Amino acid sequence: MSGLQMLFSVSVWAAMCVWWFWEYIHAITHRREGEAFGQAIERASQERALNKQAKARMFGGPVLTAMVSIASTVLTLLALLWILQGKTIGALLLSFLVAGLVVNRRMDMSKHKSWARLSAIDRLRFRLTHAWLWPLHQYGNKRGENSNND
């Protein structure tokens, strides 16, 4: 293995370790006044558990979140694959997704209870999933408007 490959490998591993332990690193480097290292690590552990719980409950329960996220990811990947192959169905799916992103732009996603604890990738997944489900949101909004008029 050459020196450049070794440097690249070590850099990737170091970045992964920093990413994995970021909550702990941040808690230790930003300790509160009079807080011991053990307390900072405990606080980071609690924050990590809350972030994990928020991620698992983005769309309700953990099972529903997993199913919806997988379906959204598969649909997005299929649309991109079919677009690359030049198939019409890919263009239709992608236009449906873009329409959903435009329609859901009006929704304030930051009002969701777990939004503040989600990472950037999880926020993107959250937006994409809601973009696929935009007809349901529109139907729900129409039902809510009709029930208010009665």
Side-chain angles (χ1 to χ4, degrees):
M1 187 182 278
S2 73
L4 190 57
Q5 289 174 328
M6 179 66 81
L7 181 64
F8 179 74
S9 298
V10 169
S11 299
V12 168
W13 278 104
M16 287 174 59
C17 286
V18 167
W19 176 71
W20 181 257
F21 295 109
W22 179 250
E23 289 96 350
Y24 299 105
I25 294 168
H26 183 50
I28 290 171
T29 57
H30 294 89
R31 285 186 304 150
R32 297 176 180 152
E33 187 77 29
E35 186 178 42
F37 282 108
Q39 291 171 327
I41 290 173
E42 179 64 30
R43 180 170 48 91
S45 177
Q46 291 170 353
E47 287 291 318
R48 185 177 222 167
L50 289 172
N51 292 344
K52 202 174 199 179
Q53 182 182 20
K55 181 179 175 182
R57 299 192 181 281
M58 272 192 293
F59 300 105
V63 173
L64 181 61
T65 297
M67 289 173 40
V68 167
S69 294
I70 288 170
S72 172
T73 303
V74 167
L75 277 172
T76 305
L77 290 176
L78 278 175
L80 292 174
L81 177 69
W82 286 334
I83 279 286
L84 291 174
Q85 291 179 351
K87 294 187 177 181
T88 308
I89 187 73
L92 290 173
L93 284 174
L94 202 57
S95 61
F96 183 85
L97 180 62
V98 169
L101 288 170
V102 170
V103 168
N104 286 340
R105 185 76 180 146
R106 295 181 308 177
M107 295 173 64
D108 190 8
M109 298 288 182
S110 62
K111 288 183 181 177
H112 191 272
K113 60 185 173 187
S114 65
W115 182 260
R117 294 202 168 270
L118 297 177
S119 67
I121 293 173
D122 292 327
R123 289 178 181 179
L124 176 65
R125 283 183 31 227
F126 189 79
R127 285 187 186 275
L128 280 175
T129 302
H130 280 288
W132 282 113
L133 298 172
W134 72 267
L136 293 176
H137 293 307
Q138 293 302 308
Y139 176 72
N141 286 341
K142 296 289 184 197
R143 279 187 64 202
E145 289 173 5
N146 291 340
S147 64
N148 291 339
N149 292 337
D150 292 340

